[in-house]
Amino acid sequence: MKIQARAALILALIIFAGCGTGFRKEPRSFYFPLSGEPNYLNYVPYTSSYEASVIGYLYQSMQQIDYNRGSKLLPGLATNVTLSADKRTYTCYMRRDVTWEDGKPVTAHDVVFTCRMILDPKSGAQNKIAGFKDLAGFKALNDYTFRITFKVPDVTAKYTVAGLTPIPRHIWQGKDMRDKTLNRKPVGNGPFRLQEWKTGRHIILAANPRYRQQPKFYFNRIVYKLIPESAAQQAALRKGLLDAVVNMRAHSWLRMKERYGKGNKFRFFNYSTTAYSQIAWQGNGSNPFFHDYRVRQAMTHALNRPEIIRTLRKGLAVPISGPFYPTSWAYDRSVQPLAFDQQRAAQLLDAAGWKLNSSGLRTDSNGRPFSFEMMLPQGSTTGREIAVILKNALTRLGIRMEIRTLEWSVFNKRLNERDFTACIFSWNSTVDPDVYDLWHSSMRKTGLNLVGYNNPRVDRLLEQAKQAFDRNRRQRISHQIHREIHRDQPYTFLYAAKQLDVFAGRIKGVEPSPRGPFDAWPGLAGWTTAAGE
Amino acid sequence: MGQYLLRRLLVILPTLLGISLVTFIIIHLAPGDPVSLQYGGALSQKHAVTRKHIDRLKQLYHLDEPVLQQYGRWLGRLIRLDFGNSMIDNKPVTEKIFERLPLTLGLNLVSFLLIFAVSIPLGTKAALRRGGWFDRASGTAVFLLYSLPVPWIALMMLIYLGVEWDLLPIVGIMSDHYETLGFTGKLADLTAHAVMPVFCLTYTGLAFVTKLTRISVLETAGQEFIRAARARGLSERSINYRHALKNALIPVITLFGSLLPALISGSVIVERIFSLPGIGQLFFESILYRDYPTIMGLSFFSAVLTLLGILVADLLYAVVDPRISYSGGRA
């Protein structure tokens, strides 16, 4: 017994000693969680959002985008980008004083090399080639001038050009883009460089002494801690290990706000982003229900969306009526969401030929019952609750709905193969409101038009929008698209959930943007810590 | 004995082949594939790409071939002890596994030692006082622990011990400044980080070993050689610990069979909640992203250890129990 007691005492002392080494944040370091290990710190093969957040500080793109000022383009590697009269050719005039970490100059040849690598399927740059769909060619006119030409004028191409982020040709030429050794010691040109990478623990970036461009950063170190579980990230924030946790769930954000909202220990942000949620109705004729727009309208009328926003999202969401995110200039605010109206839903269903039979079920003229399956991705708790609410509402209308939850990869596969009757999910759209891939009839087989939407008027409008270089004209066309799609209800647009972030009280100057706080311009460069900390 | 060992080792080979074939087919039949997941993973509108590009990538990974042909390719590499490279980050699978092995191995080893150190005395004492208050209390206690869900306990510990009372560190297995510490500092740092995860890995395991020990001691206590020992006038203490317990532990050895594979199979829940980069998380992520080479590497590795564990347990029986022998004489 004595020995055990002594052992316990020693253990207690050891633990006490372990706690005694208290952690203090450094004033010029920013501490942020990563939910997964980056695979490639290289602009070409990276795929995940946590890789993007690190890469953004290691490399510079041609131009910077200010999402809070109407996606205005600001100088980056290129001081100036010009567009030809036929609106197909972009010429980028690059700075001559930017160097890679090893001192070699950043040139147009690096950009050419990077574009070639993106187009090579071996590189695994699949998430970047969408912007190169109508590419005609590109070349370096001289060491500091890069020219890229597209086959057709496209108003969104300027963002593809602005986002071009070269990697150093002299390092990567002839190498596999997924080379594990080179990707562990990236050579960049951004405001920070990789200082330390401990697998599974942390990634530390330090200020790059060769970076002399704007914007200047207050922080000289970014510490990324690998914390996969969101509950653990919040615990670490509360314990004082982190400076921010972004994209929290509504209930945890509210609980934290309730507790700390009054003090200055934490700052709370909630704001609209580019993401929105919807129920997609498969209207390609593979089922007898949803090819009729009256049936889809009935579905929207049957669902009490204001109640869903109030209870499930705790009011932290904005109702939407069409295919753009609500703060976009493309979104037509004059279009009100269809009202919650069970009677109207019943009338529409009657008109569409789905009549109540003697046993209280809706059938068509052949006696086929209205009974379908709602598909959900696993882990979407709100989606599940919405499905239950809809199921109850539809039961009252004489419609049977089964809910089926699928593992994410299976859900994704069935979505891509258009193998569903109805499903609930969210889009995270681009800031530029180009919805061609979602709604043009040519995108029904391979694009993102998952519900077989086919409206010749919308097709024509989408084609016009792509070539409308005048913002006002493009806005008018977008509003027309909004109204057409609202009438057809290919989706029941649910809401745009707000992004919920918490920052440590010491961080000052944070400004959110539709792409989150880090992509707001100047983002991290505009933040400081409270003096004296 | 040598011949027996050789025979057993020869049986292991076809068994492994069968296990790996079945695993390979199952994971390839599961819906979803790594290439399409990389494309549509985020369901972002930026990901609109042509099918042609996906098909070319599938060719690159030989995912367009029949499953059996792909299996042959995998087997061919295995003969050269090459498990291939991960489809997620292109690292060799063996490197990925060994990088994460020490953490999982260390935590599990400590937790196993604790389980045995607590459960065997507990089970023995309970058996010797069968029906008494200690027996009932310890039985209730271990079952109570067994029924507490790990995710809940882990989160409660994280929030109360980690944040509210600020007693223990919550992220990872070492502090940021670990490398700058002296030896005792490092030990203290590791111990403080390990307390919560080890507790979570340990407390559910107590019930099984305690109950197994208890039943086995009770069974042995009723046997004739114990009565003979008592008739010879040996002290109760000597009977219980020298004779009864020694024989009672034989069934516990069976557990060693499962010990080897269990040592490397990390707990996904504990590892995620305490941000520990162990095997459990690796397995979880590789399945999520359908990273075939890593899934195969991990399953093969644990299959080898399972078969070896069974073999070791069989050999240990012969060591502790003279009635069991693997020499050629007996059929």
Side-chain angles (χ1 to χ4, degrees), chain B residues 26-102:
Chain B
I26 288 175
I27 62 170
H28 279 78
L29 287 185
D33 65 79
V35 173
S36 316
L37 272 176
Q38 277 172 34
Y39 272 96
L43 261 194
S44 159
Q45 290 186 14
K46 280 186 280 180
H47 289 230
V49 274
T50 55
R51 201 136 295 250
K52 211 172 74 191
H53 208 85
I54 297 187
D55 290 342
R56 262 193 291 180
L57 250 149
K58 281 190 178 168
Q59 264 170 30
L60 198 75
Y61 290 125
H62 305 289
L63 291 177
D64 53 336
E65 294 172 0
V67 175
L68 277 181
Q69 198 175 334
Q70 290 182 53
Y71 179 69
R73 211 177 272 284
W74 181 81
L75 214 57
R77 279 203 312 262
L78 182 69
I79 290 165
R80 284 171 274 131
L81 283 180
D82 174 8
F83 285 91
N85 290 355
S86 156
M87 287 178 178
I88 301 178
D89 60 7
N90 208 27
K91 270 192 197 171
V93 168
T94 35
E95 187 185 318
K96 275 177 89 97
I97 294 177
F98 282 106
E99 181 172 88
R100 283 159 181 264
L101 197 56

Side-chain angles (χ1 to χ4, degrees), chain B residues 141-195:
Chain B
V142 291
F143 274 116
L144 201 71
L145 283 175
Y146 179 70
S147 54
L148 290 176
V150 175
W152 183 72
I153 289 290
L155 267 178
M156 286 300 121
M157 291 182 89
L158 184 83
I159 289 168
Y160 286 97
L161 293 176
V163 181
E164 297 289 341
W165 305 327
D166 202 13
L167 293 174
L168 291 167
I170 57 172
V171 175
I173 193 66
M174 45 185 112
S175 305
D176 283 346
H177 60 283
Y178 178 79
E179 278 78 12
T180 64
L181 296 171
F183 177 74
T184 43
K186 277 186 179 163
L187 193 66
D189 194 52
L190 287 177
T191 314
H193 280 87
V195 172

